[in-house]
Amino acid sequence: MIDLENLGEMELDVLKELGNIGAGHAATSLSQLLDKDVFISVPEVKVGEIKYIFNDFIPDIVAGVIIALQDLEENRSGYLYIMFPEESSRKIASNLFGLEELDEEMYESTIMEVGNILSSSFCDASADFMDIILLPSPPSFALDVPTAVVDSVVSQMARESNHIILFETALSSDSDIEIYFALLPESGLFDEIMKMMELL
Amino acid sequence: MNVTILFTWNENGKAIFLTERNVLVKSYCSLSNTCSFQDCFQSCDMTNAAKGYLVDTTSNPSIVTLDGELSAGIGEYKIGKNVLLKAMGLGSCVGVVLSDVSTGICGIAHVLLPGASNNGETKYAETAIEKMLEDMIKLGARKSKISAKFAGGSQVFKHMNLEILKIGNRNARSVEETLINKNIPILAKDVGGDVGRNVIFNPVDGSMIVKYTKGEVLWL
């Protein structure tokens, strides 16, 4: 297993690039879905101890969608965590339906579906770029502060490691929609990425 | 930065005020669920008392200052004396408070996983409680005087397709079992549900403040 604490510049760059390409594809999907221009921010890769890494997450309530990623042999590769700040998620949903008011059920399943579409394009991109197969699970949905949503996933990962890699990219559109993406890779996926790199 | 934390009370309720450069920036009030003021910085008896104290520290006998605050990150614990203890953004995690009222020594653990660790990692409930207890005793707390309060272990997912996300109730159960095994009396708990929590402990009167992420506040 790779020691996450001692990642070099090169390794971080590859992770960043994976995040970039994945988020780029997701942005294209979002743009088609909303029929609007979508911008992506330069991704940030954070490697840190679990206890500190979530300190700087936004403190407001988000619609959080969590998708587990598997490889072809059904090994868990990691998790995608997509955060929609509440205002943005309402905008996206009402935009898609062309309605101002949506009932809660509709709203929730719409955001889950958007999460689904974004995660699929993210996974496609990483398959194209790195030849790594990532199969997304059906999404799980919660409305709460970002740490409360993600801590059950973190607890799963914490059984193996005290460190976590998180990368954050924000997608935004001219109508002030913001979406944050985080990929939490398990060590298996990480090993695969590093194997890929050695072949380059 | 000039941060002061005040605790004040009157016959109706109690409140904690966080102040920065002599301005009230945040409050936790036991009356906030029934209070007619939305933002808590309107003039009520307690805010007036706090503001008065910031101007003249001798103005009010029913105000106590705390020596800062400590926040336990995911999987760690913090102990201290006369400090405000916090565990923020708890979903499936549990915030466990141990306190010895006789000496004022108290601690908070932010528990991530149920059960015990075989190499001393404090993200596990049993290990965290054991280590925190040891540290508190080293600092001078008396085992026979220590009592516990805890909150957390919710299940925030409305639509769930991953079984592994159901860890909240296991965390809460593991915390409770550990406390019972150690003969630590449980004075209050607030577990389960589907909303995340922030847990804050006020060592002055031994109350645990549970602030739900969606606004509601409990003083236990």
Side-chain angles (χ1 to χ4, degrees):
Chain A
M1 216 191 113
I2 289 158
D3 189 357
L4 293 185
E5 264 174 294
N6 304 317
L7 280 183
E9 196 74 0
M10 177 81 172
E11 280 89 352
L12 285 178
D13 274 350
V14 172
L15 283 172
K16 223 178 261 187
E17 197 48 33
L18 173 65
N20 219 346
I21 292 173
H25 281 234
T28 310
S29 309
L30 185 69
S31 167
Q32 285 164 352
L33 204 60
L34 298 175
D35 199 14
K36 283 200 165 88
D37 289 338
V38 170
F39 308 96
I40 66 173
S41 68
V42 179
E44 244 188 273
V45 181
K46 290 184 189 164
V47 181
E49 281 192 72
I50 286 172
K51 57 186 167 196
Y52 303 123
I53 200 135
F54 292 103
N55 285 357
D56 38 346
F57 266 28
I58 48 173
D60 308 320
I61 290 199
V62 296
V65 177
I66 287 186
I67 291 132
L69 306 171
Q70 288 188 334
D71 66 10
L72 280 177
E73 282 119 39
E74 300 197 344
N75 299 312
R76 179 81 74 224
S77 309
Y79 301 88
L80 254 185
Y81 178 23
I82 309 175
M83 287 158 272
F84 304 83
E86 214 183 353
E87 207 184 318
S88 295
S89 60
R90 299 266 170 202
K91 269 188 196 158
I92 292 171
S94 58
N95 226 314
L96 285 172
F97 280 91
L99 295 169
E100 280 299 304
E101 292 291 314
L102 276 182
D103 69 74
E104 282 302 294
E105 277 290 302
M106 273 301 239
Y107 160 65
E108 285 164 16
S109 65
T110 307
I111 294 305
M112 274 168 80
E113 192 47 36
V114 173
N116 222 351
I117 292 168
L118 295 182
S119 66
S120 304
S121 49
F122 190 99
C123 291
D124 281 353
S126 55
D128 287 349
F129 169 56
M130 313 253 278
D131 230 359
I132 291 172
I133 308 291
L134 294 174
L135 303 173
S137 74
S140 295
F141 177 89
L143 270 174
D144 217 304
V145 295
T147 39
V149 177
V150 82
D151 69 2
S152 46
V153 171
V154 171
S155 73
Q156 208 52 37
M157 303 185 71
R159 288 179 196 276
E160 284 186 32
S161 157
N162 281 319
H163 290 79
I164 218 161
I165 311 174
L166 179 87
F167 58 63
E168 286 181 297
T169 316
L171 304 183
S172 56
S173 128
D174 48 356
S175 54
D176 300 326
I177 290 168
E178 282 182 314
I179 301 175
Y180 300 91
F181 251 89
L183 173 73
L184 300 112
E186 296 259 30
S187 56
L189 174 63
F190 201 64
D191 292 344
E192 251 187 279
I193 295 173
M194 290 304 141
K195 234 183 274 164
M196 276 281 312
M197 281 189 54
E198 279 159 26
L199 298 177
L200 294 178
Chain B
M1 223 182 309
N2 193 0
V3 180
T4 313
I5 301 171
L6 304 174
F7 171 58
T8 180
W9 64 94
N10 62 22
E11 63 278 11
N12 300 320
K14 333 183 222 193
I16 286 171
F17 292 100
L18 275 65
T19 71
E20 242 169 61
R21 295 188 200 88
N22 288 345
V23 178
L24 306 184
V25 289
K26 199 166 179 146
S27 71
Y28 302 104
C29 177
S30 66
L31 303 175
S32 58
N33 292 335
T34 51
C35 185
S36 54
F37 301 130
Q38 288 298 314
D39 60 6
C40 281
F41 297 118
Q42 304 269 359
S43 296
C44 71
D45 290 348
M46 285 192 287
T47 44
N48 287 343
K51 283 174 182 163
Y53 179 88
L54 292 173
V55 180
D56 170 16
T57 52
T58 57
S59 66
N60 196 324
S62 56
I63 282 192
V64 178
T65 55
L66 287 100
D67 310 326
E69 57 179 354
L70 287 172
S71 179
I74 297 175
E76 63 173 2
Y77 67 85
K78 288 279 165 69
I79 60 173
K81 203 171 169 175
N82 197 38
V83 287
L84 196 67
L85 298 172
K86 304 200 296 188
M88 307 301 273
L90 304 168
S92 64
C93 289
V94 180
V96 188
V97 176
L98 295 182
S99 91
D100 169 2
V101 197
S102 67
T103 58
I105 294 166
C106 50
I108 193 163
H110 188 148
V111 169
L112 180 64
L113 288 162
S117 155
N118 26 17
N119 51 358
E121 291 178 300
T122 57
K123 54 198 174 195
Y124 292 88
E126 262 184 75
T127 317
I129 293 171
E130 268 165 29
K131 284 197 154 185
M132 182 160 72
L133 190 62
E134 273 171 35
D135 270 9
M136 285 170 63
I137 292 168
K138 264 184 224 156
L139 213 69
R142 281 181 285 172
K143 168 87 182 23
S144 60
K145 301 281 185 193
I146 291 176
S147 59
K149 294 183 177 183
F150 63 95
S154 58
Q155 201 292 89
V156 299
F157 288 91
K158 284 191 171 173
H159 304 281
M160 186 150 64
N161 289 296
L162 286 168
E163 281 304 302
I164 57 134
L165 299 180
K166 288 182 187 164
I167 199 163
N169 50 6
R170 287 169 57 207
N171 280 336
R173 212 179 321 126
S174 181
V175 164
E176 185 154 12
E177 279 165 12
T178 310
L179 293 170
I180 292 169
N181 286 341
K182 302 223 167 294
N183 287 320
I184 300 171
I186 299 168
L187 301 184
K189 63 170 180 173
D190 176 46
V191 295
D194 55 11
V195 181
R197 295 171 174 86
N198 295 309
V199 172
I200 297 123
F201 183 72
N202 171 21
V204 181
D205 69 340
S207 54
M208 175 175 72
I209 304 155
V210 179
K211 187 173 196 306
Y212 282 88
T213 51
K214 294 184 182 158
E216 204 194 328
V217 181
L218 299 175
W219 282 60
L220 299 170

